[in-house]
Amino acid sequence: MAEDVRAEMVSTVLEIVVTEGATVSIGDTLVVLESMKMEIPVLVESEGTVTTIGVQVGDVIQQGDLIAVVS
């Protein structure tokens, strides 16, 4: 079952840690966001393969925007 990873707040994409096709485990970091001068890692909540990265470094994303899909 695919898991959509979505933004929880307005933020800027600071770093993309994984690539499409990467195998990830629970707790792995997908991307690092920056909001209010704080770095916020976005962690995987299920094991699988990253099938989609929906952001690029420097993107300003809104709450609910798709960051990645893990299936």
Side-chain angles (χ1 to χ4, degrees):
M1 181 169 88
E3 172 195 354
D4 288 353
V5 180
R6 298 192 174 271
E8 294 183 8
M9 66 186 77
V10 176
S11 52
T12 302
V13 179
L14 196 60
E15 178 184 4
I16 299 173
V17 179
V18 297
T19 58
E20 289 183 2
T23 301
V24 292
S25 299
I26 295 170
D28 287 353
T29 301
L30 291 173
V31 300
V32 179
L33 304 177
E34 190 264 332
S35 181
M36 300 187 312
K37 300 188 182 187
M38 293 181 3
E39 292 186 11
I40 304 156
V42 176
L43 307 178
V44 177
E45 295 182 3
S46 62
E47 295 184 354
T49 302
V50 178
T51 56
T52 304
I53 299 289
V55 295
Q56 295 182 7
V57 172
D59 284 355
V60 176
I61 57 176
Q62 304 297 313
Q63 182 177 357
D65 285 357
L66 180 68
I67 294 173
V69 177
V70 177
S71 59

